[in-house]
Amino acid sequence: MRSQIPSLAATALTFSYLVVGQTTTDCNPLNSTCPSDTALGKTVTIDFTQGENSEFSADTGTTITYGTNGAEFIISSNGLAKTISTNSYIFFGKVSVALRAANGTGIVSSFVMESDDLDEIDWEWLGGYTTTVETNYFGKDNTTSYDRATSPTVSDPQDTFHIYTIDWTPASITWSIDSVLVRTLYYADALDGANYPQTPMRIKLGNWVGGAADESTGTVEWAGGYSDLTEAPFTMYVKNITIEDYTTNGTSYSYGDMTGSYESIIIENNSTSTNTSYSVGESVGTNSTSNASSTASSSNSSSSSVSVTSGGSSQPASFLLGLVGLGCAYLVL
């Protein structure tokens, strides 16, 4: 649905794609041969009330504290952003986060899924607005239009934990709040797939100052205005997160060519590799998924097929399973 955020944020919505799209990658597989990415290949649930977890690493300069509300992403008067990222990638999957957004004009809480070639799926909370959250997506860092964000309503996101979910398949992406669907994007609706996020992603959780004095005018307007750091601290809380990788038969992912198509992704496993063609109309994954309030960790059984029915029509789908060298790729937000 269309944005309902009021006043300045409503007029500045066109800047949001420009702002979030300014991400970088250490190696873009659309331009060169890059190391492979470690695959998660299972489902994990992380309870941050128990402290830090080895599935995530903190960005340089990031210190996270942990308490009864989970991981605390605290922006102090120095204004430094706080970000952690998963060490492994998922190739289609479902991620649910129990999160409380930070308050403060210009403060941006974020839950981002991002790939090496800059496909991206987002939830973002603007601290100056207490009734909405922004959803957005990007394909290959394409910034040719600025009208892809929506802002569904959410009750008291800065003082109440809600479960925010992204369910990502070759056919569609859905965003849900407390199991209530708030947005669906179909493959065909994203420039016939050209703008559709479809390459292996890792998950980033962070809190940053969009209203900083040295940010661009567009960024500040989108974030809701300049931030007053004398009012710090501004804290985002993440109690727990469940991450399900719908591809359960691999140990790493790499790009078979420079198209950025999901059909080109090579899945390496520990056994001999074979080429597999996935059937149209069957679903990704075989297990029921966990809610982010769960505290159990488990592994999925292997998926045998991929659904690419998009907006009422089917798209061809095939994945290559090939042996590739081990390695890892790193992204810088």
Side-chain angles (χ1 to χ4, degrees):
M1 61 183 167
R2 291 296 177 181
S3 171
Q4 299 297 318
I5 52 180
S7 61
L8 178 61
T11 60
L13 185 61
T14 56
F15 290 102
S16 63
Y17 192 95
L18 184 65
V19 171
V20 186
Q22 293 174 343
T23 53
T24 60
T25 175
D26 278 357
C27 185
N28 192 324
L30 303 186
N31 304 323
S32 59
T33 302
C34 299
S36 59
D37 300 320
T38 301
L40 178 64
K42 59 184 178 182
T43 298
V44 295
T45 296
I46 297 163
D47 180 359
F48 286 119
T49 67
Q50 302 301 307
E52 66 180 22
N53 188 278
S54 61
E55 293 288 346
F56 282 85
S57 293
D59 283 10
T60 301
T62 290
T63 300
I64 304 296
T65 58
Y66 299 87
T68 57
N69 283 323
E72 302 172 355
F73 297 75
I74 303 171
I75 293 178
S76 62
S77 58
N78 62 21
L80 294 180
K82 307 296 182 181
T83 304
I84 62 174
S85 306
T86 55
N87 298 314
S88 55
Y89 289 66
I90 65 174
F91 187 29
F92 301 113
K94 185 174 184 179
V95 184
S96 293
V97 176
L99 183 146
R100 263 179 55 190
N103 67 329
T105 298
I107 304 302
V108 184
S109 303
S110 61
F111 157 25
V112 175
M113 295 168 57
E114 187 180 65
S115 70
D116 293 352
D117 64 359
L118 301 179
D119 283 344
E120 190 173 319
I121 311 170
D122 302 334
W123 284 104
E124 291 190 292
W125 298 259
L126 307 180
Y129 302 98
T130 60
T131 60
T132 58
V133 57
E134 183 172 289
T135 74
N136 216 337
Y137 72 95
F138 311 96
K140 313 296 183 286
D141 202 30
N142 183 344
T143 57
T144 55
S145 66
Y146 312 129
D147 59 354
R148 300 168 194 166
T150 70
S151 293
T153 58
V154 58
S155 175
D156 201 17
Q158 297 171 9
D159 292 314
T160 303
F161 279 99
H162 294 280
I163 306 297
Y164 300 91
T165 299
I166 294 170
D167 195 350
W168 170 49
T169 76
S172 66
I173 301 166
T174 62
W175 291 257
S176 301
I177 302 174
D178 298 328
S179 300
V180 177
L181 180 68
V182 297
R183 182 180 188 181
T184 300
L185 173 73
Y186 292 106
Y187 180 94
D189 293 334
L191 290 181
D192 289 327
N195 252 12
Y196 189 80
Q198 58 192 278
T199 48
M201 295 190 178
R202 61 176 180 164
I203 292 86
K204 299 183 177 186
L205 302 169
N207 195 17
W208 60 285
V209 186
D214 58 352
E215 286 286 359
S216 68
T217 301
T219 300
V220 174
E221 290 183 353
W222 165 76
Y226 286 101
S227 301
D228 183 356
L229 293 178
T230 66
E231 297 180 353
F234 307 109
T235 306
M236 178 184 86
Y237 299 94
V238 179
K239 184 170 289 185
N240 50 58
I241 182 170
T242 295
I243 307 170
E244 178 178 5
D245 188 350
Y246 282 159
T247 304
T248 59
N249 58 342
T251 56
S252 67
Y253 305 125
S254 63
Y255 291 69
D257 56 35
M258 295 182 180
T259 64
S261 167
Y262 71 88
E263 296 177 298
S264 73
I265 300 302
I266 298 172
I267 306 167
E268 178 188 7
N269 56 38
N270 290 324
S271 61
T272 57
S273 299
T274 59
N275 290 340
T276 301
S277 177
Y278 288 85
S279 301
V280 172
E282 296 183 286
S283 61
V284 178
T286 57
N287 287 359
S288 59
T289 59
S290 301
N291 186 291
S293 61
S294 170
T295 57
S297 298
S298 62
S299 297
N300 287 343
S301 60
S302 294
S303 169
S304 61
S305 57
V306 171
S307 171
V308 288
T309 301
S310 176
S313 62
S314 296
Q315 307 290 333
S318 61
F319 284 81
L320 295 177
L321 297 179
L323 185 64
V324 297
L326 288 173
C328 56
Y330 300 90
L331 301 174
V332 179
L333 187 62

